[in-house]
Amino acid sequence: MADASNDLLDVTAEDFETAVIEESFRRPVLVDFWADWCGPCKMLMPVLASLVESYAGRFRLAKVNSDEQQGLAGQFGVRSLPTVMCFRHGQPVDQFMGVQPESAIRAMIDRHVERPSDRIREQAIAKLNAGDVDGAVADLRSAVESDPDHHALKIDLAEALLAAGDAAGAEAQLNMLPMDVHEQEPVKRLRARLVFASRANGADPAALESRLRDNESDPEAMEQLAAAYMVAGRSQEAMDLYLKLMQRHRSYGDNAGQKGLLAAFEMLGPRHELVNQYRRKMVALLY
C-alpha cells in the first residue's frame, strides 16, 4: 500500500487506486510511465525529482515501470516513453510525451496545483456570475497583486473589466501576458470581444436597428449593429448581418463583413455549433 505522505514513489496496479486516483482529489499527481531501456526516461527522471523537491508537497510524482505494469500502460493508452500524465480529481487532465524543458513541465503543474489566490479567484468568479461586477474586479485586482505570475487571474480580471465597460483596462491586462499565453483560446476569445466592444462603442442596438429600417443598406450601421449584437451575446443575428455586409458591401472597411465573421469565430471558439455553419456560408460567398 502506498504511503500517502510520500511525494515521490513507485506505483503498481495494486496501489494505483490509492496512490494516484484517491490522492489526486487532494493534490495533482504526475504519473511518469518509464522503462529501464528508455534513455530519454532516464534523462527526464532527475528533472521531475528536482521539481518534486521544489514544489515541497504540492504535487505527487508516481513512477510506473511500463514493462512491469503493462496493464496500467495499456489502460491509459501509453504508446511512447516517457509519457507523463497529470491526474486531478480522479481523472487524467494533462500530459506530455518525451523529454521536456523544466519550464514546460512547471507550466503544466502550475495549471493544476492549488495556489492561495485560487480561492480568491473562485470567489470573484462567483460574484461575476451573480452580477456583482465591481466586487469581482476588486477581488481579482487583489489576487493579481498577491500572485502576479498566475496568468489565469489576469485573464479573469480582463473579462471582469470588460463586463464593467472598461475595455482599455481589459486590454492592458491581456497585454501583460507572456506571448505564448496569447495563443490560448480564452485570450483569443477576449481579444475578439474587445474588437467588438470597440466597434460597437457603446451604441444602442435599438437605435441602430431603427437606422437600418430607414436605410437597410447602410454599411456603417450594419457593421456597428453586428458588433453590438456580438457584445450582447446575440451571435447568430450578428453573423447574419456580417454575411449581409459581405454580400452588399464587399469593399466597405476592407471587407469588414468577412473580418467580423472571422472575429466572431475566434470569440465563439472552434467547437461552437454555429461556427462551422457560418464558416461554410462565408466560404460560399467568397468562391
Side-chain angles (χ1 to χ4, degrees), residues 171 174-175 182 186-196:
E171 186 167 14
L174 295 181
N175 288 341
H182 285 238
V187 179
K188 288 182 176 181
R189 287 197 290 269
L190 270 174
R191 287 281 186 198
R193 285 176 61 189
L194 283 169
V195 169
F196 292 124

Side-chain angles (χ1 to χ4, degrees), residues 7-51:
D7 298 333
L8 192 162
L9 67 167
D10 293 306
V11 174
T12 67
E14 183 180 345
D15 58 10
F16 191 89
E17 180 72 23
T18 301
V20 175
I21 302 301
E22 292 182 12
E23 184 66 16
S24 73
F25 285 92
R26 291 182 279 273
R27 56 178 170 165
V29 179
L30 264 61
V31 179
D32 175 23
F33 291 91
W34 66 284
D36 277 328
W37 51 263
C38 170
C41 297
K42 294 177 180 178
M43 293 172 59
L44 181 63
M45 281 180 185
V47 179
L48 295 174
S50 175
L51 286 169

